[in-house]
Amino acid sequence: MFNFDESSLLASKVGEKFEHRIAASTAEGREALAVMQRVSRSMTGAQKVAKAFELTEMSRQVMLAGIRAMHADASENQIRELYVDRLLSYHGTSLALLRGTHE
């Protein structure tokens, strides 16, 4: 569990990333944030873009693995549909809504 004062997080400066405010709430978090910032500053733009694609692919694989674990009997096509549906849900829609088959 995080040891942070929620009111101080809300009062943080505008534009500061929420995860940075959480990380800054502990000594370990501040150290990790400093390392992340040093690494980021040492990377070229092309390296940052490559890392973003790498992290996106890793996130996709983790999400697919979770869906497979929850739906062990689903076909690969069903897994892909569940994956797309989950992504769409983050944007307030679904495959059913897009297909016009919602109830």
Side-chain angles (χ1 to χ4, degrees):
M1 192 52 101
F2 295 110
N3 269 335
F4 59 85
D5 175 10
E6 190 172 328
S7 62
S8 68
L9 288 176
L10 296 174
S12 296
K13 62 184 175 184
V14 174
E16 185 178 24
K17 290 185 177 181
F18 184 69
E19 58 268 26
H20 291 186
R21 290 182 292 195
I22 292 173
S25 67
T26 66
E28 296 84 1
R30 287 186 293 277
E31 182 180 351
L33 189 55
V35 168
M36 183 188 79
Q37 289 169 337
R38 272 196 312 274
V39 168
S40 179
R41 280 193 294 270
S42 72
M43 295 171 78
T44 67
Q47 288 171 319
K48 289 177 185 177
V49 169
K51 183 56 73 178
F53 279 110
E54 179 185 334
L55 293 173
T56 299
E57 178 59 20
M58 187 184 319
S59 297
R60 189 179 78 78
Q61 292 299 327
V62 168
M63 187 184 292
L64 283 167
I67 292 170
R68 283 187 186 101
M70 289 186 284
H71 302 276
D73 295 332
S75 70
E76 197 57 31
N77 190 47
Q78 290 169 319
I79 296 293
R80 297 261 178 230
E81 283 198 7
L82 289 165
Y83 168 76
V84 169
D85 199 50
R86 184 170 298 170
L87 289 177
L88 290 171
S89 74
Y90 299 139
H91 299 284
T93 191
S94 68
L95 282 174
L97 283 170
L98 293 175
R99 290 175 175 157
T101 59
H102 64 288
E103 293 179 11

